[in-house]
Amino acid sequence: MVSISSRSAVAIHALTMLGRWDHSLTSAEIAESLASNPVLVRRILGSLRDAGLVWSTEGRNGGWSLARPAREITLYDAYTAVEAGPILSRYPHPPSAECEVGRNMQKLLEVEFQDAERAMKERLGRTTIAHLVRQVLANEREVAQRVTN
């Protein structure tokens, strides 16, 4: 099973960029902000498109845009669009039934891992892309004020 990767962070970054401006952005513009490769960004954007979070237009003035308002897209939406499988990795194969720890640990960990995954889902579901955009703008205003003072 797969655990969380950097795809979620890239997806959330891209969505926040798209939520920040009222015009479409190219994958190259988003990749520049990420200091990343546009091909990787296009793959992530493709997954976000498949999940109905972004859409793209082709041509000279083409690019990527949010498919719905930033206030309606949660961090959990971004996570589920780009990650496969559970958040926490499970055993690659069953532990030994001959060992008292092995006989019990898989079942015990499953309860703990499911609780942790539910908590993460709830937490990421409370934060929207609009919230992150507001935080970015507030942080930038704070930096600008320090520079001018």
Side-chain angles (χ1 to χ4, degrees), residues 5-144:
S5 72
S6 63
R7 289 185 302 269
S8 293
V10 171
I12 292 166
H13 186 122
L15 289 168
T16 303
M17 284 201 59
L18 294 172
R20 167 63 181 91
W21 287 279
D22 291 331
H23 58 84
S24 62
L25 298 173
T26 67
S27 53
E29 290 170 318
I30 296 168
E32 184 177 324
S33 176
L34 282 155
S36 184
N37 184 318
V39 173
L40 166 72
V41 172
R42 278 192 292 278
R43 271 192 228 123
I44 297 293
L45 289 167
S47 295
L48 294 173
R49 181 187 52 223
D50 293 345
L53 301 177
V54 300
W55 59 279
S56 64
T57 54
E58 300 206 12
R60 183 171 151 88
N61 295 318
W64 296 88
S65 301
L66 294 180
R68 54 189 205 231
R71 69 181 177 279
E72 295 178 12
I73 301 172
T74 68
L75 302 191
Y76 190 71
D77 293 331
Y79 167 79
T80 58
V82 299
E83 301 291 350
I87 297 163
L88 298 169
S89 294
R90 293 346 192 234
Y91 284 98
H93 53 81
S96 172
E98 303 301 314
C99 171
E100 62 187 36
V101 172
R103 279 192 298 275
N104 291 284
M105 193 52 59
Q106 190 170 7
K107 183 171 34 171
L108 296 171
L109 282 179
E110 187 60 29
V111 170
E112 295 300 321
F113 286 5
Q114 284 179 2
D115 284 351
E117 288 168 343
R118 264 191 300 279
M120 181 178 159
K121 176 181 178 180
E122 188 274 327
R123 178 63 184 95
L124 293 179
R126 285 193 325 239
T127 304
T128 66
I129 296 302
H131 178 81
L132 293 184
V133 169
R134 284 191 303 273
Q135 286 183 304
V136 165
L137 294 174
N139 290 346
E140 288 300 304
R141 278 191 301 274
E142 193 175 294
V143 168

